[in-house]
């Protein structure tokens, strides 16, 4: 069963969906979806995504990034595929709402995710270049974004057998995870070290 906080979030999102307030539903999913996934409420969150009209999901880089990342962490590339395809459209200039063009933080997260994908395909030099590009773009105040970037950097360096830089990136991941209150990022860094 859902804990109290998860129950309230679910109630709010279900209410927004049933009232067809899709803008509010998307905002709530962006703010809480990834946390809920990490707390093992995948079925609940998947239900939200299925209830949301596709054109609303297509407008949300943050929601697509969250779900792509979640499925990639679980090595479920088939489930990640549609989210990644939408992200490629969003970040290649086919953005449906020019006024809401993704900022530097979202672009950095997308580059970090691409770095993970390319690294997973055995192309670590490309993965490192993408992760370094993400680091240049990532706003220093957005520690959640930095967590994703440092993880991408660490994985690329590790694939290249550059242990010194991999260790530095994992230590920065741990710090960013702590600052962001992101236990998953912190634990990923600690276990990798």
């Amino acid at each position: 069963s859902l804990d109290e906080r998860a129950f309230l979030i679910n109630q709010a999102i279900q209410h927004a969906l049933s009232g067809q307030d899709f803008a509010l539903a998307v905002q709530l999913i962006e703010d809480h979806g990834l946390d809920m996934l990490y707390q093992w409420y995948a079925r609940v969150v998947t239900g939200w995504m299925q209830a949301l009209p596709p054109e609303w999901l297509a407008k949300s880089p943050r929601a697509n990034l969250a779900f792509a990342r979640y499925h990639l962490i679980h090595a479920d590339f088939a489930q990640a595929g549609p989210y990644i395809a939408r992200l490629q459209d969003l970040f290649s200039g086919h953005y449906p709402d020019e006024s809401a063009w993704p900022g530097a933080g979202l672009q950095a997260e997308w580059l970090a995710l691409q770095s993970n994908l390319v690294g997973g395909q055995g192309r670590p030099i490309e993965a490192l270049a993408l992760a370094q590009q993400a680091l240049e773009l990532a706003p220093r105040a957005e520690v959640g974004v930095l967590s994703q970037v440092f993880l991408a950097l660490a994985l690329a360096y590790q694939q290249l057998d550059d242990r010194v830089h991999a260790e530095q990136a994992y230590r920065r991941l741990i710090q960013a995870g702590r600052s962001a209150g992101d236990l998953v990022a912190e634990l990923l860094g600690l276990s990798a070290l």
Side-chain angles (χ1 to χ4, degrees):
S1 69
L2 298 172
D3 67 29
E4 186 178 356
R5 181 175 173 276
F7 176 79
L8 292 172
I9 291 166
N10 186 41
Q11 289 289 97
I13 292 173
Q14 294 294 353
H15 184 75
L17 289 168
S18 64
Q20 297 196 339
D21 187 347
F22 299 123
L24 176 61
V26 167
Q27 184 184 338
L28 290 167
I29 290 169
E30 287 180 344
D31 291 344
H32 303 289
L34 196 58
D35 283 344
M36 293 280 287
L37 286 168
Y38 284 153
Q39 293 171 49
W40 306 105
Y41 296 127
R43 187 174 293 156
V44 172
V45 179
T46 302
W48 302 337
M49 300 305 279
Q50 289 169 344
L52 196 64
E55 64 273 16
W56 279 91
L57 183 55
K59 293 178 185 178
S60 174
R62 281 177 62 205
N64 284 288
L65 277 163
F67 287 95
R69 203 162 55 230
Y70 172 77
H71 291 303
L72 289 173
I73 285 170
H74 291 86
D76 192 341
F77 295 102
Q79 289 286 337
Y83 299 106
I84 291 165
R86 267 193 293 272
L87 286 162
Q88 282 169 335
D89 281 347
L90 287 168
F91 285 100
S92 64
H94 303 115
Y95 202 69
D97 180 359
E98 290 299 323
S99 67
W101 174 253
L106 284 172
Q107 292 179 55
E109 275 193 79
W110 170 231
L111 287 165
L113 185 70
Q114 283 182 292
S115 172
N116 294 337
L117 285 169
V118 167
Q121 295 165 350
R123 291 148 51 200
I125 293 169
E126 269 181 77
L128 180 59
L130 286 161
Q132 288 171 331
Q133 202 180 338
L135 185 59
E136 285 172 26
L137 264 180
R140 293 302 176 259
E142 293 186 32
V143 284
V145 173
L146 286 172
S147 293
Q148 301 306 316
V149 173
F150 292 137
L151 178 59
L153 273 172
L155 292 170
Y157 281 127
Q158 195 172 344
Q159 274 194 304
L160 290 165
D161 280 332
D162 184 342
R163 291 176 182 271
V164 172
H165 286 105
E167 183 180 331
Q168 287 173 356
Y170 279 125
R171 290 192 188 284
R172 292 175 80 184
L173 169 62
I174 293 164
Q175 290 170 346
R178 275 192 193 134
S179 298
D182 184 346
L183 186 61
V184 173
E186 189 178 343
L187 288 175
L188 277 171
L190 286 166
S191 64
L193 271 184

